Amino acid sequence: DAGVIQSPRHEVTEMGQEVTLRCKPISGHDYLFWYRQTMMRGLELLIYFNNNVPIDDSGMPEDRFSAKMPNASFSTLKIQPSEPRDSAVYFCASRGLAADTQYFGPGTRLTVL
Amino acid sequence: KQEVTQIPAALSVPEGENLVLNCSFTDSAIYNLQWFRQDPGKGLTSLLLIQSSQREQTSGRLNASLDKSSGRSTLYIAASQPGDSATYLCAVTMEYGNKLVFGAGTILRVKS
């Protein structure tokens, strides 16, 4: 299995631009999670989906952030408009229904200038 | 609100030394606790998972303990190697497999 796949691995953009991060979970996994990691706040859960349905988005910082999961093999996290304080590493993770462990992707390092 | 604290923030040891990383959490109503390893530029890899009803788990040179009532966990690494150099993260799960709350991590450097 290829594991969780994220793209792009690095993204540099200017303030005000729209940013879209992509994630392909492990095939067969029912849960998908988006996390953000910063030096100041560490790793934080932003949102998670079960069977493509958003279950808890209480960690999404602002309305500028949105996430979708149109099918079982693809999810996006969009920031519009982006701000310098959004600079962070964004991780996607997935979990099977019967498993306790989440499997993390390599992350997308976002820099907003 | 659950808070997870890891001590020390950084640790540098010579190769071969045994070491202990500490994790504490404020809310004992956890589902499980996990220790992850994070290498630079890479994602997280789960090392050990301890269910709330368990006291410890072992994998090779790693041993993790859990004292749920006191809100503490330790990760013991025996005979450390340079390849163990990484950031180690402790995380508690607040509901079945889902809402992970992470500590800030311990940056470990093992010198050869």
Side-chain angles (χ1 to χ4, degrees):
Chain A
D1 198 317
V4 177
I5 299 172
Q6 292 187 247
S7 65
R9 293 295 310 277
H10 302 274
E11 177 80 26
V12 180
T13 190
E14 293 187 346
M15 182 174 61
Q17 296 298 307
E18 178 180 294
V19 175
T20 300
L21 311 182
R22 297 172 176 79
C23 175
K24 177 179 171 55
I26 293 173
S27 177
H29 279 191
D30 303 286
Y31 291 87
L32 183 139
F33 307 84
W34 283 101
Y35 291 88
R36 179 173 67 174
Q37 185 176 39
T38 62
M39 289 294 293
M40 289 297 295
R41 300 176 65 89
L43 255 170
E44 301 174 292
L45 176 65
L46 300 177
I47 184 172
Y48 77 89
F49 295 81
N50 179 23
N51 291 326
N52 313 337
V53 177
I55 302 301
D56 188 334
D57 65 354
S58 59
M60 296 286 263
E62 300 172 34
D63 291 344
R64 298 184 296 107
F65 287 69
S66 63
K68 294 183 180 179
M69 192 165 185
N71 57 62
S73 59
F74 183 67
S75 177
T76 60
L77 178 67
K78 186 175 294 186
I79 308 173
Q80 166 63 14
S82 58
E83 297 183 3
R85 59 194 169 117
D86 302 330
S87 297
V89 181
Y90 291 81
F91 288 100
C92 177
S94 68
R95 178 175 78 82
L97 181 61
D100 287 332
T101 300
Q102 297 179 19
Y103 294 84
F104 282 75
T108 295
R109 180 172 294 278
L110 173 65
T111 302
V112 183
L113 303 174
Chain B
K1 179 184 174 185
Q2 177 73 273
E3 294 184 0
V4 180
T5 303
Q6 292 188 242
I7 295 174
L11 184 62
S12 182
V13 300
E15 181 177 5
E17 192 163 300
N18 302 325
L19 57 99
V20 175
L21 308 181
N22 297 289
C23 172
S24 62
F25 47 95
T26 55
D27 184 348
S28 63
I30 64 172
Y31 183 78
N32 61 42
L33 182 145
Q34 295 184 70
W35 284 92
F36 289 87
R37 170 181 172 142
Q38 184 175 21
D39 293 283
K42 297 186 179 180
L44 282 67
T45 301
S46 180
L47 297 173
L48 290 166
L49 184 151
I50 311 176
Q51 300 292 353
S52 62
S53 59
Q54 298 176 324
R55 297 285 293 183
E56 66 176 342
Q57 283 287 337
T58 298
S59 176
R61 295 182 293 109
L62 305 180
N63 176 276
S65 68
L66 173 63
D67 185 341
K68 183 181 166 184
S69 61
S70 67
R72 295 179 187 276
S73 176
T74 62
L75 177 66
Y76 176 82
I77 302 177
S80 59
Q81 303 171 358
D84 295 330
S85 299
T87 298
Y88 290 81
L89 295 158
C90 171
V92 297
T93 306
M94 300 309 297
E95 61 183 60
Y96 179 71
N98 293 335
K99 302 190 75 170
L100 290 177
V101 180
F102 283 87
T106 294
I107 301 171
L108 173 64
R109 180 187 173 204
V110 181
K111 299 171 289 186
S112 58

